Amino acid sequence: MSSSVTPDRSKSCCCQGMPGSLAHLSLDAVGKFITRPIAAKGLFLEAVDPEKTTRAMNISATSNSSFVDGRFYLYTQLATGISLMILSPITVISNLLLLLNIYKDPLKCFHTPASYLIIALCCVDFTAGLVMEPLFIAYRLASYLKWSLYPGRSYVRLLRIGSSISTIGLNLSFLLVLALIWTQFLAITHPQRYRSAITTHRILAFVGISTLYFTGFTLLQFIGVSRRSLLQINLHFHATVITILLFVGSAILLRSLRRLPKNLAKMKTIKA
């Protein structure tokens, strides 16, 4: 009796028993998803060689894991696409109503220079809901409907445009919130200095320069600068620094608001 066991070749292929669309995904997604077709090489092994058998089992397990990851990714694309379809009109309508309210201003409470920061922030969010989110929706739904991790060159271009707008919008919105925090801090702690330092002209110049800066920074990727390098710079010098300043500014503003009643009481006592 021979000591070796001849495996059943019909059951050795890692795609056996899986839907045809998933098998097509694994075989054709080379370069778009980090999976490679697992050929029969290494799977038709003798059972008496433990090392080769273990290696074959690892290869098969990796391939099956890739199939699961691919399906999960595509279902995630569908879920996020549907979520954006719900959030996009809400974002557009809510910010449009806020802009109309600021324009009419029935209570006359938006006549300060800092109000232009709120207007700019509404415009950024309105643009995100009207332009950026639909681009992401198109790419995600196309990926799911075509059941492919690469829905096509045109959709990839839409994704790249949406990502560029997202980079500009996120950085600009965070910076506007940071500026709004510091203007309110200055108004609470140094009201006399606030009137002279915070003017409409300076606020508009700040918004315009910030928009031009982030737009120019994002457009560098289209003139030959490495997109990976730009994303790293954006992460460390924009997202991280601004986020830290937001936490610090929020803590300082909250502390000033807690001290405000005491300061007002002292001022009344002095005047009396």
Side-chain angles (χ1 to χ4, degrees):
M1 181 180 295
S2 175
S3 59
S4 61
V5 179
T6 302
D8 186 1
R9 293 174 182 264
S10 63
K11 297 181 180 180
S12 61
C13 180
C14 61
C15 299
Q16 185 73 20
M18 291 193 174
S21 58
L22 295 182
H24 181 271
L25 174 65
S26 178
L27 294 175
D28 293 342
V30 178
K32 308 174 184 68
F33 189 67
I34 310 176
T35 58
R36 296 181 179 179
I38 306 302
K41 181 180 178 182
L43 297 182
F44 304 145
L45 303 174
E46 294 182 355
V48 296
D49 191 335
E51 183 178 354
K52 292 183 179 180
T53 304
T54 303
R55 188 183 303 117
M57 293 174 62
N58 291 336
I59 294 174
S60 179
T62 302
S63 177
N64 293 333
S65 177
S66 300
F67 280 122
V68 174
D69 292 342
R71 292 186 63 184
F72 178 77
Y73 176 80
L74 292 172
Y75 284 126
T76 302
Q77 292 287 78
L78 175 62
T80 54
I82 294 175
S83 300
L84 289 175
M85 290 178 64
I86 298 173
L87 293 176
S88 179
I90 295 176
T91 303
V92 172
I93 295 173
S94 59
N95 284 278
L96 182 60
L97 292 176
L98 181 56
L99 288 172
L100 291 176
N101 189 33
I102 293 174
Y103 175 74
K104 293 183 177 181
D105 196 9
L107 300 179
K108 306 300 180 183
C109 56
F110 291 106
H111 289 177
T112 61
S115 299
Y116 288 96
L117 294 173
I118 301 176
I119 295 173
L121 188 60
C122 289
C123 291
V124 172
D125 293 339
F126 179 80
T127 304
L130 187 65
V131 179
M132 182 192 70
E133 291 179 356
L135 295 178
F136 287 147
I137 291 171
Y139 177 82
R140 283 166 166 74
L141 293 184
S143 297
Y144 176 79
L145 294 176
K146 294 184 178 182
W147 199 252
S148 173
L149 302 173
Y150 184 77
R153 182 176 299 177
S154 59
Y155 291 103
V156 172
R157 289 178 179 175
L158 292 179
L159 177 64
R160 191 173 182 183
I161 295 173
S163 299
S164 300
I165 298 175
S166 175
T167 301
I168 298 172
L170 286 175
N171 288 326
L172 185 58
S173 61
F174 286 165
L175 190 62
L176 291 173
V177 173
L178 178 63
L180 188 61
I181 289 175
W182 286 106
T183 55
Q184 297 308 303
F185 169 76
L186 189 62
I188 293 172
T189 56
H190 304 285
Q192 298 298 330
R193 187 181 301 178
Y194 171 83
R195 293 189 181 93
S196 60
I198 307 300
T199 63
T200 301
H201 177 75
R202 291 180 178 178
I203 292 295
L204 292 178
F206 170 78
V207 173
I209 293 173
S210 301
T211 304
L212 290 176
Y213 168 74
F214 288 121
T215 302
F217 175 82
T218 305
L219 292 178
L220 290 176
Q221 61 182 308
F222 298 101
I223 59 175
V225 180
S226 173
R227 187 169 185 269
R228 179 181 178 85
S229 300
L230 288 177
L231 291 177
Q232 291 178 345
I233 294 173
N234 180 67
L235 173 63
H236 295 293
F237 292 98
H238 294 157
T240 303
V241 173
I242 295 177
T243 301
I244 293 174
L245 292 177
L246 279 173
F247 279 109
V248 174
S250 299
I252 295 176
L253 180 61
L254 181 60
R255 184 180 179 184
S256 300
L257 289 173
R258 289 179 176 177
R259 291 183 175 182
L260 182 61
K262 295 181 180 179
N263 295 335
L264 292 177
K266 290 181 180 179
M267 293 177 62
K268 290 180 179 179
T269 303
I270 294 174
K271 290 181 179 180

